[in-house]
Amino acid sequence: MKKLLTAVVLVAGTMLSGCAGSTATPQTSTATPKLSVDESCKFLNTDTFAPSGTAKEQAAQIGQHYQEVADKVAPEVGAPIHEMAEIMKQVAASPTGTKTDEQTAQLTEQINKIGQYCK
């Protein structure tokens, strides 16, 4: 599972750079087709996102990356990643930018949900 989390974090970075210049279609919730579950899992396993800066900055970058990834992948995989994005946004808003034990447990729970589809 740690490899999957690393992959999810890394995927986020790739997505950030890949989405910046997209202007082909209007922004709507149905404009971009989602990846299949298999494509989503392959995508997550090849993500190379690496946050930088302070702990708070890294948490914010990871949260943003997770959100962008969640918007691209299959809904079955994207829903847990969306939850992970929300958790990381909470971490980024904290005074230290570090995860609490509860937040770590919540992230692990979401990773396990992804693991049900990406084995």
Side-chain angles (χ1 to χ4, degrees):
M1 275 302 137
K2 288 185 180 182
K3 182 179 178 184
L4 181 59
L5 176 58
T6 302
V8 170
V9 170
L10 296 176
V11 171
T14 304
M15 295 298 296
L16 288 174
S17 61
C19 296
S22 177
T23 59
T25 56
Q27 291 183 345
T28 64
S29 61
T30 59
T32 304
K34 303 270 185 179
L35 297 173
S36 70
V37 171
D38 286 342
E39 291 169 330
S40 297
C41 295
K42 287 177 186 175
F43 176 75
L44 293 176
N45 283 320
T46 61
D47 184 26
T48 59
F49 175 73
S52 61
T54 66
K56 288 177 67 74
E57 291 168 339
Q58 289 182 19
Q61 291 168 24
I62 292 168
Q64 179 66 32
H65 182 69
Y66 283 171
Q67 185 61 57
E68 291 175 1
V69 170
D71 292 342
K72 299 281 182 195
V73 298
E76 299 89 340
V77 178
I81 296 172
H82 174 74
E83 291 300 318
M84 293 169 66
E86 293 304 313
I87 295 165
M88 291 308 296
K89 290 174 186 176
Q90 292 170 7
V91 172
S94 73
T96 62
T98 56
K99 295 181 290 275
T100 64
D101 289 343
E102 180 181 345
Q103 288 167 327
T104 300
Q106 292 171 340
L107 288 167
T108 300
E109 179 182 340
Q110 299 308 315
I111 290 168
N112 289 338
K113 289 180 182 179
I114 297 167
Q116 293 175 356
Y117 296 97
C118 301
K119 297 179 182 183

